[in-house]
Amino acid sequence: MFETAGIRSTERVCSALSIVSLAVLLGACAHTSPPDPAVPKSWVVENVASKTTEELYREFIKPGVFERSSSKVIDGYTVESGNLVMPDKSVGSLITVRSKDGSLTAFIEGPDKRGLLVVTSNGESRFSPSSPHDYSLPDTLQGKEVLKPPASVLTGVASPYVIDILIGYSRAAVVLAGGDAYANALAKVESVNLALRNSLTSNVSMRLAGVQIVEQNYPMNGETLEKLPQIFSSGMQNYNPDMLFGAFAPTPDDTAAGLAYLPGRTAIGHVSDGWVFRHEVAHNAGGNHCHVPGGSYNYGFKNGKNGTILCGEDTPYYSNPNVRDENGLPRGNSTTADMARVWRENAQRLSSYATCLTKPPTEFRVTSTSYGTIDFAWARFPGAAKYEIWGRDNLLLPPKKYGESTTLNGKAINVPNGIRPYHLKAVCSDGTISPNSNVVSAKPYEVLK
Ligand SMILES: [Zn+2]
């Protein structure tokens, strides 16, 4: 509630000023000095499209150094993430999602600045600090969600496992997120992928299957969690995800900042706290808060100096006894706190909720060619864990696999010269292989002799 009220009051202040004078508005809101961590702050960046992403977030990460560990383009957005390393070597994180039109959504996790930075394509900018939450409050429902068979029963594709998630938003949540739900959802997903990489959990990653926006906002309680698949039923149908997350604006009826099945595939959380997402999905994976006597290894960890996600919540790590902090202390304990192991052990379950469709993949097409190589792209196939590009060297021989990919584009390499037919297959988490896509005739670029 505090955050919602705070953001509204800032908007009111700025619009009141604009009535007095546009010059005053720009003057009042154009400062790029570090924000007061207690209140949201608005300003305007001129020529935002000409600015580098670093120029837009620079003031907010000082005195930290950004150590970028991932950079990729997803649906036209450049998604980058990495740790923020402070002068005392303590670790925070930075996630940036930049669209083609120049707008930016950034999750900043520093020692004294933790919040959401949004810059629109018009340069309207806002930093909304996260209000401190008590993450140790009960926020799980146990034994309510139907689980898939244990991994030993499944005969799906081998790791790495890709968990497809649908993130649903209420309209009020989209406003709090700065207007671009898709960018916010990509940042949420990347916050989990960064924590998984930091925790050396390399066999599993998360991927955004899609976003759905509904007009109504819902309170953070068990009833909302239970009816979430109905609230986002069209998204569940269209995107056929493995997991589902609902992002809502705070309401007076909320019982916590987030809520999740433990274990399960469904969770909800306040949109105003970017980090509640990586916490709640860890409950879905099977994790608990700080260890309690008699508990197993599925807990977060505090080592006296630093905490991890689920216990302490102040670093971009899931607990892992094999990872050490800046003081040389472990970020986990093999018998009481090893969330990296929990993620590894639940990766196959979490990535196999989507039911594989029996239709063929569509929109298979050539995007470019080079020497010995053809680049293809295609439409998303609901439930696909990976895609395979097949072709024929000789029409008398069976088709041959020329490449594979977990994204919506990929390369066929070492292809024959001359025009040949190519097609795509989608491979689902349960091992099912789709029918062949449309056939595309293509040839690689040939070097003139
Ligand atoms: Zn929790």
Side-chain angles (χ1 to χ4, degrees), residues 135 139 279 283 289:
Y135 280 94
D139 63 338
H279 175 106
H283 284 314
H289 293 157

Side-chain angles (χ1 to χ4, degrees), residues 236-411:
M236 292 299 284
Q237 218 162 16
N238 292 340
Y239 300 109
N240 186 24
D242 297 307
M243 294 180 74
L244 171 63
F245 187 85
F248 300 107
T251 82
D253 302 324
D254 298 349
T255 56
L259 206 61
Y261 287 119
L262 192 176
R265 63 181 293 212
T266 312
I268 51 180
H270 282 163
V271 73
S272 38
D273 185 336
W275 293 274
V276 82
F277 177 78
R278 68 186 188 186
H279 175 106
E280 299 304 334
V281 296
H283 284 314
N284 284 161
N288 289 287
H289 293 157
C290 303
H291 191 262
V292 292
S296 183
Y297 55 85
N298 55 331
Y299 290 83
F301 190 68
K302 267 190 214 168
N303 64 17
K305 297 278 189 186
N306 285 298
T308 64
I309 299 161
L310 292 177
C311 180
E313 224 66 44
D314 50 358
T315 63
Y317 290 84
Y318 290 112
S319 60
N320 182 339
N322 301 317
V323 176
R324 291 185 180 265
D325 72 1
E326 66 276 13
N327 308 299
L329 299 170
R331 294 192 191 267
N333 177 295
S334 60
T335 55
T336 64
D338 192 349
M339 278 303 298
R341 177 178 170 187
V342 172
W343 274 105
R344 280 196 297 273
E345 291 173 346
N346 283 273
Q348 188 170 23
R349 170 179 68 82
L350 290 168
S351 64
S352 55
Y353 281 99
T355 48
C356 201
L357 301 184
T358 51
K359 301 185 295 190
T362 57
E363 296 176 43
F364 183 57
R365 60 195 185 274
V366 175
T367 53
S368 67
T369 62
S370 54
Y371 184 67
T373 303
I374 307 172
D375 289 279
F376 294 94
W378 49 85
R380 187 176 172 276
F381 184 88
K386 66 173 180 178
Y387 300 89
E388 295 177 349
I389 301 164
W390 289 71
R392 281 178 189 275
D393 189 6
N394 183 321
L395 291 179
L396 299 175
L397 295 174
K400 172 179 165 186
K401 188 168 83 173
Y402 283 99
E404 63 176 53
S405 168
T406 58
T407 65
L408 301 185
N409 49 65
K411 281 179 192 303

Side-chain angles (χ1 to χ4, degrees), residues 14-37:
C14 275
S15 59
L17 282 170
S18 67
I19 297 165
V20 178
S21 155
L22 183 62
V24 173
L25 167 72
L26 293 175
C29 297
H31 285 287
T32 52
S33 56
D36 176 343

Side-chain angles (χ1 to χ4, degrees), residues 163-167 189 206-210 241 243-245 277:
I163 304 164
D164 282 313
I165 189 162
L166 166 67
I167 305 187
V189 168
M206 189 175 274
R207 180 169 64 186
L208 183 62
M243 294 180 74
L244 171 63
F245 187 85
F277 177 78

Side-chain angles (χ1 to χ4, degrees), residues 424-447:
L424 188 76
K425 290 173 190 277
V427 181
C428 292
S429 317
D430 63 1
T432 315
I433 297 169
S434 75
N436 295 343
S437 71
N438 56 300
V439 173
V440 170
S441 293
K443 70 174 199 169
Y445 169 77
E446 290 171 279
V447 177

Side-chain angles (χ1 to χ4, degrees), residues 162-230:
V162 179
I163 304 164
D164 282 313
I165 189 162
L166 166 67
I167 305 187
Y169 291 78
S170 66
R171 183 67 62 192
V174 177
V175 171
L176 282 185
D180 189 342
Y182 203 85
N184 186 272
L186 286 171
K188 280 180 166 54
V189 168
E190 188 57 27
S191 72
V192 170
N193 286 331
L194 172 63
L196 290 171
R197 287 199 307 275
N198 279 341
S199 315
L200 311 181
T201 313
S202 56
N203 77 325
V204 54
S205 63
M206 189 175 274
R207 180 169 64 186
L208 183 62
V211 162
Q212 186 192 351
I213 299 165
V214 293
E215 293 307 316
Q216 193 181 331
N217 193 50
Y218 292 85
M220 206 56 57
N221 60 30
E223 195 189 334
T224 300
L225 184 63
E226 273 181 54
K227 66 181 180 191
L228 206 66
Q230 286 79 54

